[in-house]
Amino acid sequence: MSDSEHEYTVGAIARLVGISVRTLHHYDHVGLVVPSGRTGAGYRVYDDVDVERLHQVLTYRQLGFSLEQIATLLDDPTVDAMAHLRDQHELLTDRIDRLRRMVAAVEDMMNAKKKGIQLTAAEQAEIFGDDWPGEEYAAEAEERWGDTDAWQQSRQRTGAYSKGDWQEVKADTDALEARLAEAMAAGVAPGSPEANALAEEHRASINRFYDCSHDMQVNLAQMYLADPRFTEHYDERAAGLAQYVRDVIVANADQQH
């Protein structure tokens, strides 16, 4: 195999594109991106057209589409490659506009912090975007749990958070949700070591705000399905993700008892 032939092994594509070999194997297994060639020894190889399709898949994934939705879009015989690029361009432009608005909001928060102003729940929500339950949920949460130790811990810890702290929380949250969505797409079973590690990452993320036991984490996970606002948040990233997160957390907690 030589690069001059424009054929690439799975390992070469993984390094070139920046994703795992496991993900590539999964995309091959479900028929989403199937290598179109073979070496003399029978190993599958990708060509330039395969790599173009892979980039389209990864772009749609970044935009929050499920693998099933992506397959439907890319395999639609009535839509050509240019149409997909136009659609992706429009979706990415919308996301960039949203990020610019978020940057402006963060700058406002920075100015407030410089002046020693404590950020409200609504202002903090600006960092997380409008797809997380915001001030309305914060008011409900205070009414339901305002007299609990967890609520007092959360108020105390977040009251000292800087702009950088909130940005770190946001980045870590996005990364964890992306890993959960990828695990779901790859068929990682709840209760498996890999899924349990993700459940513990989730619990650690809650521990930043208050001490979270496995039982408390399960209660949170149940809320992801009981409260449509949380369900919508997760399922916008990947269809069925709220249910999957709940199942991963519950399975891990069951093994701890």
Side-chain angles (χ1 to χ4, degrees):
M1 191 74 32
S2 69
D3 288 348
S4 62
E5 295 173 345
H6 301 284
E7 293 180 336
Y8 313 93
T9 64
V10 173
I13 289 298
R15 293 189 297 273
L16 180 67
V17 179
I19 61 176
S20 67
V21 169
R22 178 175 180 174
T23 297
L24 286 170
H25 283 315
H26 180 66
Y27 288 173
D28 182 8
H29 177 71
V30 300
L32 190 59
V33 183
V34 179
S36 58
R38 287 186 181 273
T39 67
Y43 294 106
R44 292 188 173 188
V45 290
Y46 297 80
D47 62 18
D48 293 334
V49 175
D50 300 331
V51 176
E52 180 178 330
R53 181 179 173 96
L54 176 59
H55 280 296
Q56 289 180 331
V57 169
L58 295 176
T59 300
Y60 276 126
R61 288 294 286 157
Q62 182 65 31
L63 289 165
F65 287 76
S66 69
L67 297 184
E68 292 79 6
Q69 290 172 318
I70 296 170
T72 300
L73 287 167
L74 294 183
D75 295 335
D76 185 346
T78 65
V79 181
D80 60 21
M82 182 58 72
H84 283 299
L85 290 172
R86 284 195 296 266
D87 290 344
Q88 290 180 338
H89 183 273
E90 181 178 352
L91 291 167
L92 288 168
T93 300
D94 289 343
R95 175 166 290 191
I96 289 170
D97 288 342
R98 180 172 180 269
L99 289 172
R100 284 173 176 160
R101 292 194 297 271
M102 290 178 65
V103 168
V106 169
E107 289 174 348
D108 289 341
M109 294 175 69
M110 291 170 63
N111 291 332
K113 185 61 70 173
K114 288 177 182 177
K115 297 175 183 177
I117 300 173
Q118 173 59 54
L119 302 175
T120 67
E123 290 168 335
Q124 293 171 22
E126 290 288 350
I127 286 182
F128 288 86
D130 55 11
D131 58 342
W132 265 111
E135 189 170 11
E136 175 188 0
Y137 178 76
E140 293 176 18
E142 183 168 14
E143 182 177 350
R144 293 173 62 181
W145 299 302
D147 59 350
T148 65
D149 291 340
W151 178 265
Q152 296 303 320
Q153 279 186 334
S154 178
R155 294 278 291 182
Q156 181 178 9
R157 293 178 187 178
T158 60
Y161 274 14
S162 67
K163 176 268 302 183
D165 292 328
W166 283 112
Q167 287 181 316
E168 182 179 349
V169 168
K170 169 61 173 170
D172 290 348
T173 300
D174 284 348
L176 175 58
E177 290 179 2
R179 288 194 295 276
L180 284 162
E182 184 173 340
M184 180 181 70
V188 175
S192 66
E194 185 175 348
N196 289 344
L198 289 169
E200 288 302 322
E201 283 189 54
H202 175 275
R203 193 164 70 91
S205 72
I206 304 301
N207 276 328
R208 300 175 75 160
F209 299 96
Y210 54 83
D211 297 339
C212 182
S213 66
H214 287 99
D215 288 340
M216 184 176 291
Q217 185 188 21
V218 168
N219 290 334
L220 287 172
Q222 303 291 8
M223 184 176 65
Y224 295 160
L225 294 180
D227 191 323
R229 293 167 296 187
F230 283 93
T231 306
E232 181 181 2
H233 168 79
Y234 282 105
D235 286 2
E236 279 185 351
R237 178 177 285 278
L241 184 58
Q243 180 71 57
Y244 180 75
V245 171
R246 179 265 179 199
D247 293 346
V248 165
I249 290 172
V250 170
N252 178 62
D254 286 345
Q255 294 182 22
Q256 308 303 319
H257 293 148

